[in-house]
Amino acid sequence: MQLNTQQLALVKQQITRVKAFEGSLYHQKYQNIEAADIQTPADFENLPFTEKDELRAVYPLGIQAVPDEDIVRIHSSSGTTGTPIIVPYTKQDVEDWAQMFARCYEMAGITKRDRIHITPGYGLWTAGIGFQLGCERLGAMAVPMGPGNTDKQLKMMMDLKSTVLCATSSYALLLAEEIEKRGIGDKIHLKKGVIGSERWGDKMRARIASELGVELYDIYGLTEIYGPGIGINCQKEEPMHYWDDFIYIEIIDPATGKVLPDGKVGEIVITTLRKEGAPLIRYRTHDLSRIVPEACSCGSPFPRIDRIIGRSDDMIKVKGVNIYPGQVEDVLKGVAGVSSEYQVMIDHLNGRDIMTLFFEMEPTAEQAVVEAAVGAVFKTRVGLTIVPKGVAIGELPRSEKKSTRIFDNRY
Ligand code: ZN
């Protein structure tokens, strides 16, 4: 999905603006780049990426691209794995974020008659305050809980008859389990759950949906790019619509940096089109997904990306093909007779790479049939011929971490 004329014009305006602001990240980074040189989508694809480490390196306010008097607030990434990234917002940025977030709620069929129970944290983090902003813009009633204190969460949820729960997947599961344990399901009025998008399994999804009795929606976003609210799935299908009048998304091969054709899985790279306080150009998110090229059955013109399937840091390359743990899971999920546990072995034998995929099978499954099916689906979806090996349930080691399911014996 190439930049359209309007997006290209916005990118050029943005480059002119960020370059002009002395002391900002891009003033330095774009010394030898002129907006006038960006005439075509191909020119845009030659612009350098912006990396998370570059944002860390200019801590605290080196990504600010407008004068101090125009900044109304900052947010910050958690910084648990190093220097945090501080993101300054102008009044317009806050307005734009609210508009995008309200659209997300609308896309999920939430209206001003809903009561939105918000459990993500408020404060430096973008989550709670973003859910709040969108709720107020929509005109619904916010119940600004923040995280923790399960007793109070459940009491408020019952007393106020909250209809929408906003949470991380793990917190939604915790609440769902608690509701079941206490046998108070009939006092809960939730209809929809809006869950911050990270990779979370189908089993977890099914449990949250059935125990809370809700429809679930994946909302996407990251602190560096406004926060949550830049995309969400609709009531018809799983992939997430995103707001291409505010952000431009490319999918790249994380190893080569080349832009991939629509439909191929790779790393999400985001360019903000209207952001003032801290615009980002070709920012590498390290989240993996793909552009979904088909039009959505809901009729919305907004383009779509698939659910996040993992992080590009987990990628492995076999015979020149990029493979991610999430892809392996998606393939196995779609084949009848296959259970959820798997293990991948990659070896180098007689001058070539061989990938063996071990997976557990349902007791009634016909081994040869299931193996052939897994091999065929893998070839079609991922583009690689593998050696599929079905084993009985319980034969593979259990592990919480996805990374320990892949063994690369080549080096
Ligand atoms: Zn749709």
Side-chain angles (χ1 to χ4, degrees), residues 234 241 296 298:
C234 62
H241 290 278
C296 186
C298 76

Side-chain angles (χ1 to χ4, degrees), residues 107 233-237 239 241 296-300 304:
M107 189 58 92
N233 65 298
C234 62
Q235 293 179 275
K236 296 275 189 190
E237 298 187 19
H241 290 278
C296 186
S297 61
C298 76
S300 166
R304 294 183 297 163

Side-chain angles (χ1 to χ4, degrees), residues 275 304 332:
K275 212 159 183 240
R304 294 183 297 163
L332 293 177

Side-chain angles (χ1 to χ4, degrees), residues 322-336:
N322 296 331
I323 297 169
Y324 314 98
Q327 270 180 310
V328 177
E329 285 167 36
D330 284 345
V331 166
L332 293 177
K333 201 173 70 190
V335 179

